[in-house]
Amino acid sequence: MPDQISELTTNRLSLYLRYLNELYGKGVRTVSSKVLAEQLGVHAALIRRDLSNFGELGVRGVGYVVEDLRRELRSILGLDRKLGVAIIGAGNLGLALADYPGFRREGFRIVALFDNLQTKVGSVSRGGVAIHDIRDLEEIARREAITIAVIAVPEASAREVVQTVVEAGITAVLNFSPGALRVPPHVKLKSVDLTVSLESLSFYLAREAGRSQNGD
Amino acid sequence: MPDQISELTTNRLSLYLRYLNELYGKGVRTVSSKVLAEQLGVHAALIRRDLSNFGELGVRGVGYVVEDLRRELRSILGLDRKLGVAIIGAGNLGLALADYPGFRREGFRIVALFDNLQTKVGSVSRGGVAIHDIRDLEEIARREAITIAVIAVPEASAREVVQTVVEAGITAVLNFSPGALRVPPHVKLKSVDLTVSLESLSFYLAREAGRSQNGD
C-alpha cells in the first residue's frame, strides 16, 4: 500500500463502497469501472487508479466482482474491525449522531454518549445509547476499546473536551465543533464543516440566477 | 465563468473562504498561494487554477489581497445574497442544524423549522428558530423567499418530504437522510453522508494498526 493516500481518495473509497453495498443488496455480481464512473460522477480512469493502489482488484473484460471489491474496500477502510466510537456532548447534535443509522450500518460500534451535565447522565438516546459522565471517559474507553471520539459540544467547550479525549488515550477525533483544535501528533483529527455543503448549493443557485439574468 | 465547476472545486472554494475569514479576522492583508497551500494541504498550482477560473484575482509578487479575495469568493459562492433556508424535521438533527453557528456566520438566513408533529409546532429551537407546520411550508417559503430546504427527517419520511419541498417551489435541497432521493431536473439535490468522515478516520486507524504490526 502506498504511504500517501489522500483524504480525497479515502472519501472516494467510501463513495464506491456505498454504491457497492447497494449493488450487493440487489444481487448484482460484477460491475465495470465505466458503470461505477457513470453512477458516481467520477472518471473511470480515476476509479481504476484509486483501486489499483491496493493491488489488482479488477478482472479484464469482467470488471470488479461486487462481493470481493466490497469486502476488500471494507477491509481497506478498516470497517471489518468494529471500531468503538464515543460521542462527546449529548445535546441535539450528539444525540442525532448517536442514532445516525449510517454509522452502525457500516460496522461502527457506538459505545456511549458523554456529557458533563448531571441531568443528562444516566439517560439514553432515542436509539438506546447510554449517556455517561465525561469523567468516566478514560475508564469506559479502555474497557470498551473506544478508538474514535466524535466531538459534538459547543465551540466554547471544544478545546477542553479534546484534551480530555486525548488524555483518555483515544487516537482519532471527528470534530463537528467550529473553530480550530490542536491535537498531539499521534492523534488524527478530522473536522467536519457542515457549511461547505450548504455553500455548494448556494454556488449553484447564484449561477442559476446569473443564467436567468443573461437569458440563458 | 466556465460552465462546469465541479463540486470538489466549490468545496475547495469554501475551504479557502474559511481560511481567508480567519486571516481577515486577524488583520492579515495579503496571502500567497504557497501559504494557502501549506495551511490547507492543497497544491499551490491547484489553488491558482481554482481561482483563475474566476478571472485574475492574484497579483504577481504579492499574492492575493485577503479582503478582495474573500469578498470575491463570497460573491462566487452566492453568500452575499442572504439565502433563506428552511429545515425540515425538528428532531435532534434538525434542531442541531437550525442552531449550527456556521450557517449564520456565512450569511445564510435560517428562516424556520418545519415538522408534522403538532406537539412540536409552535415551539422554538434553543437558538430561537420557530417550528412551523409542514403544511404551511409553501406559504412561508414564498413569503420569506426560502430557496434552500435542509432535509433532516427519518429515512422513511424522506421521499414524501422531498416531494412537499419541491411542490413548495424550493429549488435546492440539502439532504441528511440516508437513502437515494429523486428530484426533478430543475432542483439541485446534495446529500451529506456523515459516515464518510468516520470512515476516513477508520482508514487511518487501520493503517496505523498495520504499521505497528510491521514494526514501523
Side-chain angles (χ1 to χ4, degrees):
Chain A
M1 201 187 294
D3 209 50
Q4 285 298 328
I5 302 289
S6 81
E7 192 147 310
L8 290 176
T9 307
T10 68
N11 289 356
R12 282 195 304 271
L13 298 182
S14 293
L15 187 69
Y16 306 154
L17 175 59
R18 211 70 69 246
Y19 183 59
L20 288 165
N21 285 345
E22 204 181 307
L23 293 179
Y24 183 75
K26 286 181 185 159
V28 176
R29 300 279 304 273
T30 61
V31 64
S32 65
S33 53
K34 186 157 167 281
V35 168
L36 280 172
E38 282 163 9
Q39 288 295 319
L40 303 175
V42 177
H43 283 296
L46 184 55
I47 292 177
R48 286 192 296 269
R49 202 185 71 195
D50 282 345
L51 297 178
S52 72
N53 276 330
F54 307 98
E56 283 302 325
L57 296 173
V59 179
R60 193 172 293 274
V62 175
Y64 301 98
V65 177
V66 170
E67 190 178 346
D68 295 352
L69 182 56
R70 179 173 172 265
R71 191 176 46 235
E72 195 61 35
L73 281 174
R74 289 186 53 82
S75 161
I76 290 165
L77 290 169
L79 298 175
D80 48 356
R81 304 169 70 218
K82 292 265 167 204
L83 291 176
V85 178
I87 315 239
I88 320 291
N92 285 319
L93 184 58
L95 289 168
L97 293 171
D99 295 342
Y100 187 70
F103 292 166
R104 246 175 230 98
R105 202 173 289 168
E106 287 304 343
F108 292 98
R109 274 187 305 124
I110 308 298
V111 175
L113 284 147
F114 291 86
D115 209 293
N116 60 357
L117 268 186
Q118 295 307 313
T119 47
K120 292 185 176 175
V121 171
S123 61
V124 296
S125 77
R126 197 171 305 168
V129 179
I131 305 172
H132 291 283
D133 192 318
I134 183 76
R135 285 176 298 187
D136 298 330
L137 178 63
E138 185 169 354
E139 189 199 321
I140 296 174
R142 204 180 308 123
R143 194 175 66 215
E144 300 279 347
I146 290 171
T147 47
I148 300 178
V150 176
I151 310 284
V153 301
E155 192 166 0
S157 327
R159 283 185 190 201
E160 194 191 327
V161 159
V162 165
Q163 204 180 328
T164 307
V165 161
V166 169
E167 283 166 10
I170 294 171
T171 53
V173 176
L174 182 61
N175 171 43
F176 280 89
S177 189
L181 295 177
R182 285 185 174 279
V183 292
H186 74 281
V187 175
K188 174 79 173 175
L189 170 71
K190 183 170 166 60
S191 286
V192 176
D193 186 341
L194 299 173
T195 317
V196 169
S197 316
L198 209 50
E199 285 176 356
S200 105
L201 283 179
S202 169
F203 173 79
Y204 163 83
L205 291 168
R207 295 194 64 194
E208 290 298 303
R211 280 208 183 126
S212 329
Q213 279 161 22
N214 298 333
D216 289 4
Chain B
M1 199 187 294
D3 208 50
Q4 286 297 329
I5 302 289
S6 82
E7 193 147 309
L8 290 176
T9 307
T10 68
N11 289 355
R12 283 196 302 273
L13 298 182
S14 293
L15 186 70
Y16 306 155
L17 176 59
R18 211 70 70 244
Y19 183 60
L20 287 164
N21 285 345
E22 203 181 307
L23 293 179
Y24 184 74
K26 286 181 187 162
V28 176
R29 299 280 304 273
T30 60
V31 64
S32 64
S33 53
K34 187 158 167 282
V35 168
L36 280 172
E38 282 163 7
Q39 287 295 317
L40 304 175
V42 177
H43 284 297
L46 183 56
I47 293 177
R48 286 192 296 268
R49 203 186 69 195
D50 282 344
L51 297 177
S52 72
N53 276 331
F54 306 98
E56 283 301 325
L57 297 173
V59 180
R60 193 172 291 274
V62 175
Y64 301 98
V65 176
V66 169
E67 189 177 347
D68 295 352
L69 182 56
R70 178 173 173 265
R71 190 175 47 235
E72 195 61 35
L73 281 174
R74 288 187 54 83
S75 161
I76 290 166
L77 289 169
L79 298 174
D80 47 356
R81 302 168 71 220
K82 291 267 167 205
L83 291 176
V85 177
I87 314 239
I88 321 291
N92 284 319
L93 183 58
L95 289 167
L97 293 171
D99 294 343
Y100 187 71
F103 293 166
R104 247 177 229 96
R105 201 174 290 167
E106 287 305 343
F108 292 98
R109 274 187 306 122
I110 308 298
V111 176
L113 284 148
F114 291 86
D115 209 294
N116 61 357
L117 267 185
Q118 294 308 312
T119 47
K120 292 184 176 175
V121 170
S123 60
V124 296
S125 77
R126 199 171 301 169
V129 179
I131 305 172
H132 291 283
D133 193 317
I134 183 75
R135 285 176 298 187
D136 297 331
L137 178 63
E138 185 168 353
E139 188 199 321
I140 296 173
R142 204 181 307 125
R143 195 175 67 214
E144 300 281 347
I146 290 170
T147 47
I148 299 179
V150 177
I151 311 284
V153 301
E155 193 166 0
S157 327
R159 283 185 190 200
E160 194 190 329
V161 160
V162 165
Q163 204 180 328
T164 307
V165 161
V166 169
E167 283 166 10
I170 294 172
T171 53
V173 175
L174 182 62
N175 172 43
F176 280 89
S177 190
L181 295 176
R182 285 186 172 280
V183 292
H186 74 280
V187 175
K188 174 81 172 174
L189 170 71
K190 184 171 165 59
S191 287
V192 176
D193 185 341
L194 300 173
T195 317
V196 169
S197 315
L198 211 49
E199 285 176 356
S200 104
L201 283 179
S202 170
F203 172 80
Y204 163 82
L205 291 169
R207 295 194 63 194
E208 291 297 301
R211 278 204 185 131
S212 328
Q213 278 160 21
N214 298 332
D216 290 6

